[in-house]
Amino acid sequence: MADRDSPSVGDGPVMRTAHAILAGKQGEENSDAAALRAAAQILQAIGARPDGNQDEDLSKRWGERAQALDPSTRPPVYRGRALGPSYRKGKVSAKSGVSTDQIFLAGKKASVALVPVSSKPLSIKIIDPQGKDICRQNVSSKPANCEWLPLFTERYRINIHTSATQPVAYYLISN
C-alpha cells in the first residue's frame, strides 16, 4: 500500500487523510490553488483535525493559501466537525526514532498512517502491549498505512525511525 499513487474507493478515512495531506503538501510546493483547495476540502469533509496541542490546521491553512493564490476560489461553508481521524506533525532526528503511545478501542478497526514530508527514508512499527509487532512498514515518498482490529481496548506503541543523516519531518494520522 505504501507505493500506491492515489487513494482507492475502499480506503478508510485515515488513508484518505494521508493522501489529502500528501496532495496538499505538493500543492504548497507548486503554488497550486486547485490542489490546495481540494486537499483542504477533503480534510474538512473527513473531519481530520490536528492532534493534541498541535496548532497547525492544514485545512484552514491550505484554504487560505488557495484563496490568496486564486481569489476566484471560494471557501466551503463550514457546518461543524464530524468524528474522524487526527493528524500530528513530527520530526525524527538523524539516524534515530521517536515513539508515541495511542489507545485503540476493542472491536473498532484501528488505522495509523505515516505521511513523509520528503523522500528521505522512514519506517513505522506498531507494537501491542505484549510487545508483539502488529505492523511494520518502510516509507519513502508515499503514505504507509497500518490497520488491525484490537481485541481489547489497549495502549499501542507507535515507533517511527529514520536511517537518514538529516532530520526527517512527517505527519502521523490515526483514528
Side-chain angles (χ1 to χ4, degrees), residues 116-170:
V117 174
S118 68
S119 61
K120 294 183 180 82
L122 281 171
S123 64
I124 184 170
K125 182 167 76 168
I126 314 282
I127 302 169
D128 73 9
Q130 294 72 42
K132 179 182 165 197
D133 284 1
I134 298 296
C135 178
R136 182 186 298 241
Q137 289 198 32
N138 293 320
V139 182
S140 57
S141 60
K142 295 177 180 66
N145 188 33
C146 293
E147 293 182 336
W148 71 100
L149 185 64
L151 297 177
F152 302 99
T153 297
E154 296 182 295
R155 185 176 303 273
Y156 289 77
R157 168 80 28 120
I158 302 169
N159 294 317
I160 300 168
H161 186 269
T162 186
S163 58
T165 57
Q166 301 172 359
V168 180
Y170 63 87

Side-chain angles (χ1 to χ4, degrees), residues 12-27:
V14 168
M15 279 308 288
R16 289 193 319 265
T17 300
H19 285 289
I21 288 175
L22 184 63
K25 294 302 289 178
Q26 291 170 345

Side-chain angles (χ1 to χ4, degrees), residues 49 58-59 73 103 108-109 114 122 135 154 157 166:
R49 70 212 181 281
L58 296 175
S59 178
T73 61
I103 293 176
K108 182 180 177 193
K109 182 169 80 170
L114 181 64
L122 281 171
C135 178
E154 296 182 295
R157 168 80 28 120
Q166 301 172 359

